[in-house]
């Protein structure tokens, strides 16, 4: 059975996720921007918390960990490579390692770029990507290179298209406006931008999305396409160079 996923809005525009194995009742929280909304989401459902999975070291993803551990006794899992700048870990993992939520087996994926050491947690049907692949966007390159982020996005793009992309922020409306500057004639993008606007006007989250929608509309996953390179004026550029140009334009947008 797939994980049951609850999207928990935190701070101004962050998302944490609670994932529960319906078979065993085991529960994990992915990232902890702040503890209170997560504790409220657990309480509303009568759930405990077994595990906390951390994607990367930024404060808006880890600041609530200590309080959530104190309240629930959950074990903390994060990247061994980043252990020196993460909250204390009970379980240090490396890319390729297995992670488990009850009977559901997942795996740790290296998605460096936004930070070096950023990991995603990939389960059947859902990938927790935080600030790597985002809805219609990707994270800014604070530590890694464009080539590194492009590689990371390729690993995520290879997942089954029905995979839910559970990313870390509600940035989708602004991302849609930018994406339309790259591909104004992409009908799937035009349609999605309209749906994003309607969802936000109604106060609904646009996260998670599906990988299939990202592959069809997210310019950062489409940098390898000849029509995108042509639109950028970079017909002969490598895929990573085209990606770098899109990322640079977004930084200035
Ligand atoms: Zn971040
Ligand atoms: Fe973030």
């Amino acid at each position: 059975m797939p994980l049951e996923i609850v999207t928990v809005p935190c701070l101004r525009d962050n998302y944490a996720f609670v994932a529960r194995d319906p078979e065993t009742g085991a529960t994990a929280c992915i990232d902890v921007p702040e503890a209170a909304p997560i504790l409220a989401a657990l309480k509303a459902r009568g759930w405990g918390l077994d595990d906390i999975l951390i994607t990367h070291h930024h404060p808006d993803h880890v600041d609530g960990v200590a309080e959530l551990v104190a309240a629930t006794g959950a074990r903390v899992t994060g990247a061994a490579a980043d252990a020196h700048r993460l909250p204390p870990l009970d379980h240090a993992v490396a890319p390729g390692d297995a992670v488990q939520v009850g009977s559901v087996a997942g795996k740790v994926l290296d998605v460096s770029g936004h930070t070096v050491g950023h990991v995603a947690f990939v389960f059947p049907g859902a990938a927790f990507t935080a600030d790597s692949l985002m809805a219609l966007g990707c994270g800014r390159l604070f530590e890694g290179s464009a080539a590194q982020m492009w590689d990371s996005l390729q690993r995520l793009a290879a997942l089954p298209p029905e995979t839910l992309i559970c990313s870390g922020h509600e940035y989708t409306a602004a991302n849609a406006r930018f994406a339309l500057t790259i591909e104004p004639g992409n009908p799937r993008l035009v349609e999605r931008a309209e749906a994003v606007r309607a969802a936000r006007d109604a106060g609904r989250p646009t996260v998670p999305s599906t990988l299939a929608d990202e592959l069809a509309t997210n310019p950062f996953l489409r940098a390898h396409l000849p029509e995108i390179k042509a639109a950028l004026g970079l017909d002969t550029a490598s895929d990573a160079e085209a990606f770098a140009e899109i990322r640079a334009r977004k930084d200035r947008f």
Side-chain angles (χ1 to χ4, degrees), residues 3-146:
L3 291 170
E4 188 179 343
I5 295 167
V6 180
T7 303
V8 185
C10 293
L11 304 176
R12 206 162 53 109
D13 56 25
N14 274 80
Y15 289 121
F17 300 91
V18 174
R20 181 174 181 271
D21 171 22
E23 214 161 295
T24 61
T27 305
C29 178
I30 298 86
D31 284 347
V32 191
E34 55 178 338
I38 296 163
L39 288 167
L42 292 169
K43 191 173 172 206
R45 292 164 179 82
W47 296 352
L49 187 67
D50 302 293
D51 287 283
I52 294 168
L53 309 179
I54 301 174
T55 61
H56 69 294
H57 72 90
H58 284 158
D60 62 310
H61 298 257
V62 303
D63 267 0
V65 168
E67 190 184 340
L68 193 58
V69 168
T72 64
R75 292 178 297 258
V76 182
T77 296
D82 263 353
H84 61 287
R85 53 181 185 174
L86 291 174
L89 300 178
D90 300 299
H91 189 200
V93 292
D97 283 359
V99 281
Q100 200 82 25
V101 180
S103 64
V104 182
K107 138 177 140 167
V108 179
L109 212 64
D110 171 29
V111 291
S112 289
H114 174 70
T115 67
V116 173
H118 193 314
V119 293
F121 299 99
V122 178
F123 294 90
F128 298 92
T129 60
D131 297 354
S132 58
L133 176 59
M134 307 176 90
L136 280 174
C138 76
R140 257 176 203 266
L141 302 175
F142 286 121
E143 297 176 8
S145 66

Side-chain angles (χ1 to χ4, degrees), residues 140 173-179 181 247-253:
R140 257 176 203 266
N175 288 347
R177 286 193 293 277
F178 171 73
T181 68
R247 188 58 260 178
R249 289 190 188 192
K250 177 66 165 62
D251 291 346
R252 295 191 300 263
F253 183 67

